[in-house]
């Protein structure tokens, strides 16, 4: 029994694997190999774990795998060998022996073994495994599994224990704990609850889920009356086997579990310094999903997890305190580093949000003119514009109470706090808790700083102390920024006057200068608008000249007489004075009631003086500017004309159907047009000698040609051949030196005359073919007369040879047969000449019903007489029921003769040409020419119908045969189809309509 002898090796294989499943798989493969089986299956059922199935010799998801799994599900007693009626799916017909055995003690089997394979001396049988092997092998599997579970358990505990020495945030600690627990415990969701004993509540949140949850938990709720309260009070774990039937589960906990479909759960207490700080929870949708071993594992994990949570909390607290100190330090730096009030307010609000961990922050300042009104000066984290623009009275709401009482005001839940003044805004913003602290400078309250959160009870005594310390620094920073704003305002007034004076002295555009003066006045005086009126000396009226809020078309309608309105008497306005003469007035407008101070009136007068100077400068420089604009317009018009001419020349050169190259004195390319770049497709043509763009064999000749043109200072021409895209182009080069004074450039034109040369050669060839056709027709016609005489004489001699006197002579016995042969060959020659005459005759354009089978026979008979095709075979597969087709017989004869000649040429005069006619369907007829040649390469096939394209040697083809044939077939409303295989031949199919179209009937 070979398996019994090798049992220690099997145990060694089982123990060396990295995991239980891997060890079972390797051991089963070894069993299958030792027993001679084809496939096998192993099922292991640990006492408190999930069933594990391992199958070898079958593809995953195959019918054989399902068959073996079904056999593993049937309990077996001892070792059983069964001969199957037929082989399982996926195995050979002789693999019909099934060996099955229960593993472990017969009374408490831990699994089963199934082997499939052939029978016989070398196959499966009762002697394959010894009787004691199943029991011992089952015990070994169980021992290895338990040892592996203990190892994993220690690894998990060590992994969680290691988290106590890290500085990971809590969410990462929880995630790593979930990964570790998942190695030992099957769960659908894992979560954590953290107790808040001061508020009598706990926070519950999900950490990991192995299934899709209808909702994700992360909220706070009261501790009383929950499973968490029981675990905290008993300081012991709690297992729920079925929440739907267990009456001891509190109603709140049962409702939470049923909301997400969970029926089983385990809650393990998190103990830190002998105090429960929370629970570690696992849940499952199935009842009785957790065992006592699972509870032990969770308790072992919960102990180091509690330490890790406390460690992470301490680290977070240290980090938070460091951030608080850093934020306070940044606020102190703001006092001296930042004096821009909006920036200071924005930095303070953002710092509070970061420092407090709040959702946002708002800063309200007392109105300087109405100290009973608090206006929001900065807001961070708000989403609604109402909160950003909020203003409240002192004593109103939490913000107003902080100012009126001079103390910090805190609300744990604004929904239940009657002190909330704008509950509608709080609900719209989602604010649940708020902390407001007054801002003081030198004992005087200047405003209030508020932190808010969308979570209830977000602020405690620690946060309040931090914000109060922060507020002291923030108040000083805000006051310093206000003082800086006042100083900067006075500097801005001085700077505005300087800019206005500079604009008057530097700019000649009076409109631009006046607008700048008005804008400076509006900005410095903080008014809503400014305007300018000028005095018309002829009418004595003031007319509106400029305004910051009125469109230009409305200004001309505003006219006032001197003495009318505010402007007329310069009240709350400043006159424009030049010398001793008033030429207008500058007005400043506000939309509210305002008393202009003496300083403000002085500023208005200063701006009015600047405007008067601008108007006077405009008058002095008006004529000079008009002349300058006129001259500039003339220059621009001429420049535009030159640009248009330049663009026109560039367009002409680019669209010129000739290649154009501009060469310098050294015959290097300076520029080229699009056609030139296409003809000489060389990378980096610019700055290279033109001659080097030619093929190496042409370089010397082209260089000499260009130098000759330059030396002679005359236009010269030459023709050269250039390779391009796999073919050769014939181009005409024209070189002409520029004749402008001191010009050393040369123009080179390249003209593609390839088609012209081809047409010239084709005209010569066509003329030769026409002459040859006429000569052949004349010779055929002349041969008909002697052939008729020979045939007639042979016929007469044949009749005379029937004379009995001659017939009996030995010398005349062969004469009748010889004369019949002469007559037959003479008539055959006459038919050949007749076919030749018929072929060269002009086919005309008339179409008539034609028998295509007869036409094919005529073409093959004509081509069969050619000696160069003597070794070829001509095969016919003609459909005798083919109907007549309305065609031009002469034109189709030309098409068929060309296709047959091309096919025979492709086979070098050897091989078989098969011509097939058939009716494709009720509307189409097909004539196919199939050869046994080498086939047509894929890169040539798309070009076979192109005019002048040929693969034959020079002088043996024009490249027009298939192009003309395609035109003839298309004119008959037909089409070509080509099938080719390299080394196996080519088939050209002519598809013609069985019934002609209306146009074809008209031609016929």
């Amino acid at each position: 029994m070979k398996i019994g002898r090798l049992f220690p090796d099997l145990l060694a294989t089982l123990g060396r694997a990295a995991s239980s499943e891997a060890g079972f798989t390797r051991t089963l493969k070894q069993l299958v190999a030792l027993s001679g089986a084809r496939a096998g299956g192993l099922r292991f059922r640990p006492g408190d774990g999930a069933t594990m199935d391992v199958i070898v010799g079958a593809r995953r998801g195959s019918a054989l795998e399902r068959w073996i799994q079904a056999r593993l599900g049937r309990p077996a007693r001892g070792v059983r060998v069964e001969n199957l009626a037929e082989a399982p799916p996926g195995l050979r017909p002789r693999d019909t022996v099934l060996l099955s055995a229960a593993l472990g003690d017969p009374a408490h089997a831990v699994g089963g073994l199934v082997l499939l394979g052939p029978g016989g001396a070398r196959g499966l049988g009762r002697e394959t495994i010894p009787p004691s092997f199943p029991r011992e092998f089952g015990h070994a599997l169980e021992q290895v599994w338990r040892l592996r579970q203990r190892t994993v358990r220690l690894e998990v505990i060590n992994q969680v224990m290691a988290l106590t020495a890290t500085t990971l945030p809590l969410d990462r600690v929880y995630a790593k704990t979930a990964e570790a627990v998942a190695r030992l415990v099957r769960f659908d969701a894992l979560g954590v609850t953290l107790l808040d004993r001061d508020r009598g509540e706990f926070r519950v949140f999900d950490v990991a889920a192995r299934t899709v949850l209808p909702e994700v938990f992360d909220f706070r709720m009261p501790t009383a009356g929950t499973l968490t309260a029981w675990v905290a009070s008993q300081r012991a774990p709690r297992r729920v086997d079925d929440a739907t039937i267990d009456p001891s589960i509190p109603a709140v906990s049962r409702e939470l579990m049923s909301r997400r479909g969970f029926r089983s759960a385990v809650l393990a207490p998190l103990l830190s310094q002998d105090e429960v700080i929370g629970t570690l929870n696992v849940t499952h949708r199935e009842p009785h999903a957790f065992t006592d071993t699972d509870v032990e594992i969770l308790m072992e994990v919960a102990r180091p997890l509690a330490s890790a949570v406390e460690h992470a909390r301490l680290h977070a607290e240290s980090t938070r305190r460091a951030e608080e100190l850093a934020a306070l330090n940044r606020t102190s730096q703001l006092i001296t580093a930042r004096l821009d009030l909006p920036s200071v307010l924005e930095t303070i609000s953002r710092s509070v949000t970061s420092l407090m961990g709040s959702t946002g922050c708002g800063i309200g300042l007392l109105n300087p003119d109405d100290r009973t009104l608090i206006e929001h000066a900065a807001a961070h984290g708000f989403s609604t514009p109402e909160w950003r623009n909020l203003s409240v009275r002192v004593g109103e709401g939490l913000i107003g109470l902080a100012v009126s009482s001079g103390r910090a005001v805190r609300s744990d839940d604004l929904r239940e706090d009657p002190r909330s003044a704008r509950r509608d805004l709080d609900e719209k913003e989602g604010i649940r808790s708020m902390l407001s602290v007054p801002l003081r400078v030198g004992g005087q309250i200047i405003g209030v700083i508020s932190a808010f959160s969308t979570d209830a009870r977000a602020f405690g005594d620690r946060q309040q102390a931090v914000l109060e310390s922060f507020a002291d620094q923030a108040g000083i920073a805000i006051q310093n920024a206000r003082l800086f704003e006042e100083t900067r305002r006075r500097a801005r007034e001085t700077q505005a006057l300087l800019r206005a004076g500079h604009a008057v002295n530097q700019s000649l555009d009076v409109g631009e200068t006046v607008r700048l003066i008005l804008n400076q006045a509006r900005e410095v005086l903080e008014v809503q608008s400014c305007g300018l009126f000028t005095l018309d000396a002829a009418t004595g009226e003031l007319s509106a000249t400029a305004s910051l809020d009125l469109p230009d078309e409305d200004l001309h309608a505003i006219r006032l007489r001197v003495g009318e309105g505010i402007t007329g008497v310069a009240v709350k306005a400043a006159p424009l004075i030049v010398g001793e003469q008033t030429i207008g007035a500058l007005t400043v407008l506000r939309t509210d009631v305002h008393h202009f101070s003496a300083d403000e009136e002085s500023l208005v007068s200063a701006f009015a003086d600047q405007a008067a100077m601008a108007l006077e400068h405009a008058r002095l420089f008006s004529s000079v500017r008009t002349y300058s604009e006129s001259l500039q317009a003339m220059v621009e018009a001429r420049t535009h004309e030159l640009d248009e001419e330049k663009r026109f020349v560039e367009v002409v050169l680019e669209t010129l159907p000739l290649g154009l190259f501009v060469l310098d004195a050294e015959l290097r390319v300076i520029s080229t047009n699009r056609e030139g770049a296409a003809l000489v497709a060389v990378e980096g043509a610019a700055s290279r000698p033109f001659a080097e763009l030619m093929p190496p064999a042409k370089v010397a000749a082209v260089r000499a040609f260009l130098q000759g043109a330059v030396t002679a200072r005359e236009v010269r021409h030459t023709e050269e051949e250039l390779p391009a895209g796999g073919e050769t182009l014939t181009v005409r080069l024209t070189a002409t030196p520029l004749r402008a004074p001191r010009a050393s450039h040369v123009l080179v034109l390249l003209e593609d005359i390839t088609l012209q040369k081809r047409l010239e050669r084709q005209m010569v060839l066509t003329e030769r073919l026409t002459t040859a056709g006429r000569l052949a027709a004349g010779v055929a016609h002349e041969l008909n007369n002697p052939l008729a005489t020979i045939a007639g004489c042979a016929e007469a001699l044949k009749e005379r040879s029937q004379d009995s006197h001659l017939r009996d002579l030995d010398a005349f016995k062969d004469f009748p047969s010889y004369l019949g042969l002469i007559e037959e060959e003479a008539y055959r020659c006459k038919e050949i000449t007749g076919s030749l005459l018929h072929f060269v005759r002009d086919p005309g354009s008339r179409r008539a019903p034609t028998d295509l089978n007869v036409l094919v026979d005529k073409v093959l008979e004509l081509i069969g007489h050619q000696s160069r095709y003597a070794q070829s075979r001509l095969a016919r597969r003609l459909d005798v029921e083919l109907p007549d087709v309305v065609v031009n017989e002469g034109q189709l004869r030309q098409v068929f003769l060309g296709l047959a000649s091309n096919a025979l040429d492709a086979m070098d005069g050897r091989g078989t040409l098969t011509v097939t006619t058939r009716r494709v369907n009720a509307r189409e007829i097909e004539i196919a020419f199939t050869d046994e040649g080498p086939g047509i390469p894929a890169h040539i096939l798309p070009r076979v119908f192109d005019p002048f394209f040929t693969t034959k040697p020079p002088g043996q083809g024009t490249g027009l045969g298939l192009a003309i044939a395609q035109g003839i077939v298309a004119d008959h409303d037909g089409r070509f189809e080509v099938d080719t295989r390299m080394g196996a031949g080519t088939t050209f199919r002519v598809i013609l309509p069985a019934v002609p179209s209306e146009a074809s009937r008209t031609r016929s």
Side-chain angles (χ1 to χ4, degrees):
M1 297 188 206
K2 52 190 176 182
I3 293 180
R5 292 194 303 268
L6 297 175
F7 187 72
D9 294 340
L10 295 176
L11 294 181
T13 301
L14 193 62
R16 284 195 300 266
S19 65
S20 299
E21 186 172 2
F24 294 168
T25 302
R26 292 180 184 176
T27 305
L28 181 59
K29 286 182 178 179
Q30 197 169 356
L31 277 174
V32 169
L34 291 173
S35 63
R38 305 297 183 196
L42 173 65
R43 171 167 291 180
F44 176 66
R45 294 187 297 272
D48 53 359
T51 300
M52 187 183 305
D53 286 347
V54 175
I55 296 174
V56 299
R59 293 193 306 272
R60 187 177 297 276
S62 63
L64 179 58
E65 183 186 54
R66 294 192 294 272
W67 191 93
I68 295 175
Q69 283 179 336
R71 285 290 179 171
L72 288 172
R74 300 179 184 179
R77 293 181 178 273
V79 179
R80 181 180 178 184
V81 179
E82 180 181 354
N83 290 317
L84 304 176
E86 59 180 10
L91 293 181
R92 294 180 295 187
R94 63 190 183 88
D95 297 333
T96 58
V97 177
L98 171 66
L99 187 150
S100 57
L103 302 179
D105 295 329
H108 301 286
V110 297
L113 174 66
V114 169
L115 297 176
L116 278 169
R122 296 186 178 182
L124 298 177
R126 290 190 176 277
E127 67 280 0
T128 301
I129 60 177
S132 63
F133 177 78
R135 179 177 58 81
E136 295 173 356
F137 187 55
H139 289 167
L141 292 179
E142 189 171 19
Q143 291 176 4
V144 170
W145 182 83
R146 292 187 182 280
L147 179 60
R148 188 74 63 187
Q149 288 297 102
R150 285 196 295 270
T151 302
V152 174
R153 191 163 170 175
L154 291 174
E155 291 177 356
V156 167
I157 294 173
N158 290 335
Q159 184 177 350
V160 178
M161 185 72 71
L163 296 175
T164 60
T166 67
T167 58
L168 293 175
L170 279 175
D171 56 344
R172 293 292 298 149
V173 171
Y174 297 144
K176 288 188 173 293
T177 302
E179 293 174 2
V181 172
R183 298 177 61 187
L184 293 171
V185 180
R186 294 187 307 113
F187 58 82
D188 285 337
L190 183 145
V192 173
T193 61
L194 296 178
L195 293 172
D196 186 346
R197 297 185 181 276
D198 295 336
R199 296 178 177 176
E201 62 183 19
F202 64 87
R203 177 191 175 197
V204 56
F205 55 92
D206 290 319
V207 175
R210 297 303 177 90
T211 183
V212 179
L213 301 178
E215 61 176 317
V216 178
F217 282 177
D218 188 358
F219 57 85
R220 293 176 177 270
M221 62 180 297
T223 307
T226 62
L227 284 174
T228 302
W230 187 94
V231 173
S233 63
Q234 300 297 320
R235 307 164 64 82
R238 176 71 179 269
R239 185 177 76 191
V240 178
D241 291 331
D242 192 344
T244 60
I245 62 175
D246 191 344
S248 65
I249 300 176
V252 175
S253 299
R254 180 182 294 107
E255 191 273 335
L256 289 177
M257 292 181 66
S258 64
R259 274 165 55 182
R260 301 202 291 181
F262 294 139
R263 297 181 66 179
S264 303
V266 175
L267 284 74
L270 298 176
L271 288 167
S272 177
Q273 296 181 356
D274 205 29
E275 181 181 354
V276 177
I277 63 172
T279 61
L280 173 64
N281 316 320
V282 292
T283 50
H284 205 287
R285 296 185 185 277
E286 298 178 359
H288 302 281
F290 303 108
T291 64
D292 292 340
T293 303
D294 295 335
V295 176
E296 293 176 5
I297 292 171
L298 289 175
M299 283 298 296
E300 291 177 352
V301 171
R303 294 186 188 98
L305 176 60
S307 299
V309 170
E310 285 297 291
H311 177 75
R313 282 178 168 179
L314 291 174
H315 177 71
E317 180 67 20
S318 300
T319 303
R320 188 162 46 246
R321 290 183 177 179
E323 291 176 351
E324 292 173 358
L325 292 175
L328 291 173
N329 182 53
R330 285 196 300 270
T331 305
S332 300
Q333 293 176 355
L334 282 174
I335 298 174
T336 56
R338 303 290 299 274
L339 294 176
D340 177 39
L341 183 59
S343 299
V344 170
L345 294 174
E346 178 68 17
T347 303
I348 291 174
S349 62
R350 290 183 178 274
S351 299
V352 168
T353 302
S354 175
L355 177 66
M356 305 289 292
S358 59
T359 306
C361 171
I363 299 176
L365 299 178
L366 288 171
N367 189 313
D369 299 326
D370 184 1
R371 293 188 57 81
T372 64
L373 183 64
I374 306 170
E375 297 176 332
H376 254 162
H380 175 68
F382 294 96
S383 58
T384 58
E386 292 86 353
W387 247 106
R388 294 180 178 276
N389 302 322
L390 179 67
S391 60
V392 296
R393 291 290 175 181
V394 174
E396 181 182 4
L398 271 71
I399 296 175
L401 285 174
V403 175
S404 62
S405 65
R407 297 191 303 272
V409 178
R410 185 175 71 195
S411 176
D412 289 338
D413 194 343
L414 288 174
R415 295 179 182 177
E416 302 175 357
D417 195 334
R419 296 176 297 175
S420 176
R422 298 297 303 272
R423 194 178 303 277
D424 56 336
L425 292 183
D426 295 339
E427 293 179 355
K428 188 174 181 181
E429 196 70 41
I431 300 175
R432 292 293 302 275
S433 55
M434 178 179 287
L435 174 62
S436 298
V437 175
L439 294 170
R440 287 185 174 87
V441 176
Q444 183 181 5
I445 297 177
I446 63 171
V448 62
I449 183 169
S450 304
F452 75 89
S453 175
T454 54
D455 296 330
R457 300 173 178 83
F459 307 112
D461 294 339
R462 183 187 62 80
Q463 286 85 358
Q464 179 175 330
V466 170
L467 189 57
E468 287 176 342
S469 300
F470 194 90
D472 293 339
Q473 302 293 333
I476 297 174
I478 293 172
Q479 184 65 14
N480 286 347
R482 280 180 163 179
L483 294 174
F484 175 74
E485 284 288 328
E486 176 67 19
T487 304
R488 191 168 61 174
R489 183 184 65 81
R490 295 187 178 275
R492 190 166 57 246
E493 293 175 356
T494 304
Q495 187 65 26
L497 290 174
L498 291 175
R499 280 197 292 268
H502 181 75
V504 171
N505 294 324
Q506 297 295 326
S507 177
L508 299 179
D509 183 354
V510 64
E512 178 184 350
T513 303
V514 168
R515 279 192 299 273
L516 186 145
I517 293 172
L518 296 181
N519 277 307
Q520 294 294 329
R522 179 174 63 178
E523 179 181 348
V524 172
L525 294 167
E526 296 181 352
V527 296
Q528 280 65 51
S529 182
C530 295
L532 188 72
F533 287 78
T534 56
L535 178 64
D536 186 348
T539 61
E541 292 181 338
L542 289 168
S543 61
T545 304
S547 175
L548 295 180
D549 58 349
L550 293 177
D552 293 341
E553 55 270 16
D554 293 343
L555 290 176
H556 303 293
I558 302 176
R559 300 181 68 85
L560 297 173
R561 296 193 62 83
V562 175
E564 292 181 350
I566 295 175
T567 304
V569 297
V571 178
K572 297 295 186 291
L576 306 180
I577 300 174
V578 176
E580 299 295 333
Q581 183 181 4
T582 301
I583 62 172
L586 183 145
T587 62
V588 293
L589 305 174
R590 292 182 65 99
T591 57
D592 57 352
V593 177
H594 181 73
H595 173 72
F596 286 93
S597 64
D599 291 338
E600 290 174 330
E601 290 184 0
S602 298
L603 278 175
V604 173
S605 298
F607 282 118
D609 292 339
Q610 300 289 354
M613 292 175 61
L615 294 177
E616 181 65 12
H617 286 181
R619 184 184 65 80
L620 294 175
F621 291 102
S622 176
S623 58
V624 176
R625 184 173 183 178
T626 301
Y627 175 77
S628 175
E629 290 176 351
S630 175
L631 182 60
Q632 183 179 1
M634 293 173 59
V635 172
E636 290 178 353
R638 182 54 182 163
T639 303
H640 179 71
E641 292 177 2
L642 293 176
D643 290 342
E644 289 294 325
E645 292 177 0
K646 178 182 177 182
R647 283 193 291 270
F648 176 76
V649 172
E650 290 175 350
V651 170
V652 170
L653 293 179
E654 282 298 319
T655 56
L656 191 68
L658 300 175
L660 175 64
F661 292 82
V662 180
L663 312 184
D664 59 13
E666 297 179 357
L667 302 181
R668 293 180 177 272
V669 177
I670 298 176
S671 64
T672 181
N673 66 351
R674 188 183 309 158
E675 186 67 18
L679 287 174
V680 183
V682 178
E683 294 292 336
S687 75
R688 292 182 57 184
F690 179 81
E692 294 183 4
L693 303 181
M694 301 294 106
K698 308 285 186 180
V699 172
V702 172
R703 183 182 293 113
F705 163 72
L706 295 175
Q707 290 174 347
V710 172
T711 303
R713 305 296 295 173
E714 63 182 9
V715 179
R716 291 194 176 183
H717 308 276
T718 186
E719 295 181 1
E720 298 290 347
E721 291 186 348
L722 301 179
E727 60 179 337
T728 301
L729 300 179
T730 303
V731 297
R732 177 182 291 118
L733 277 73
T734 302
T736 174
L738 293 182
R739 297 179 179 178
R742 295 187 301 277
S744 59
H745 294 76
V746 179
L747 296 183
V748 178
L749 297 178
L750 265 70
E751 180 183 3
D752 185 0
I753 59 173
T754 304
L755 181 59
Q756 176 183 339
K757 291 295 183 180
R758 287 179 180 174
L759 291 175
E760 290 176 0
R761 290 194 294 268
Q762 186 59 35
M763 290 176 62
V764 173
L765 181 58
T766 302
E767 185 64 28
R768 290 179 180 175
L769 292 176
T770 302
T771 303
R774 290 173 181 171
L775 291 175
V779 171
H781 182 73
E782 291 299 328
L783 287 177
N784 275 339
N785 292 331
L787 288 174
T789 302
I790 293 171
C793 292
E795 185 178 359
L797 289 174
K798 184 178 179 181
E799 291 178 358
R800 187 178 298 178
S801 68
Q802 299 300 321
D803 189 341
S804 58
H805 295 87
L806 297 175
R807 186 174 53 202
D808 296 335
L809 295 175
D810 292 337
F812 284 93
K813 286 182 180 181
D814 294 331
F815 269 50
S817 61
Y818 288 162
L819 292 173
L821 181 60
I822 292 172
E823 180 185 10
E824 180 182 350
E825 292 300 317
Y827 277 112
R828 191 165 73 87
C829 291
K830 195 171 185 306
E831 289 178 1
I832 293 173
T833 58
S835 298
L836 181 60
L837 287 172
H838 193 60
F839 176 74
V840 300
R841 186 177 298 119
D842 183 6
S845 60
R846 184 169 182 80
R847 301 178 183 180
T850 303
D851 187 342
L852 295 181
N853 289 338
V854 173
L855 183 58
V856 169
D857 283 334
K858 290 180 180 180
V859 170
L860 294 183
E861 181 180 358
L862 178 61
I863 205 168
H865 295 304
Q866 300 186 28
S867 60
R868 58 178 174 154
Y869 303 139
Q871 297 182 17
S872 300
R873 295 181 297 279
L874 305 177
R876 299 171 174 82
R877 295 179 183 174
L878 307 180
D879 186 354
V880 297
E881 297 181 359
L882 198 69
D884 291 351
V885 182
V886 177
V887 297
N888 186 307
E889 181 179 350
Q891 291 178 343
L892 280 191
R893 185 188 305 111
Q894 180 181 352
V895 173
F896 293 169
L897 187 61
L899 292 176
S901 299
N902 287 345
L904 292 171
D905 288 341
M907 297 186 293
D908 294 330
R910 295 181 294 274
T912 301
L913 169 63
T914 303
V915 183
T916 305
T917 62
R918 70 184 183 96
R919 184 159 190 160
V920 180
N921 49 49
R923 300 188 304 275
E924 293 181 329
I925 290 175
E926 176 185 285
I927 307 95
F929 292 79
T930 303
D931 62 51
E932 297 177 346
I936 303 175
H939 68 281
I940 291 178
L941 185 60
R943 303 185 60 190
V944 295
F945 291 103
D946 291 351
F948 302 111
F949 178 77
T950 180
T951 58
K952 296 179 180 179
Q956 296 186 19
T958 64
L960 292 173
L962 285 179
I964 294 173
Q966 186 184 42
I968 293 173
V969 172
D971 190 51
H972 283 76
D973 298 325
R975 67 182 186 277
F976 267 102
E977 292 181 358
V978 184
D979 292 333
T980 183
R981 288 187 302 168
M982 296 303 297
T986 303
T987 299
F988 278 81
R989 295 186 181 89
V990 180
I991 311 298
L992 296 174
V995 179
S997 63
E998 185 62 30
S1000 297
R1001 284 197 293 269
T1002 302
R1003 286 193 291 269
S1004 63

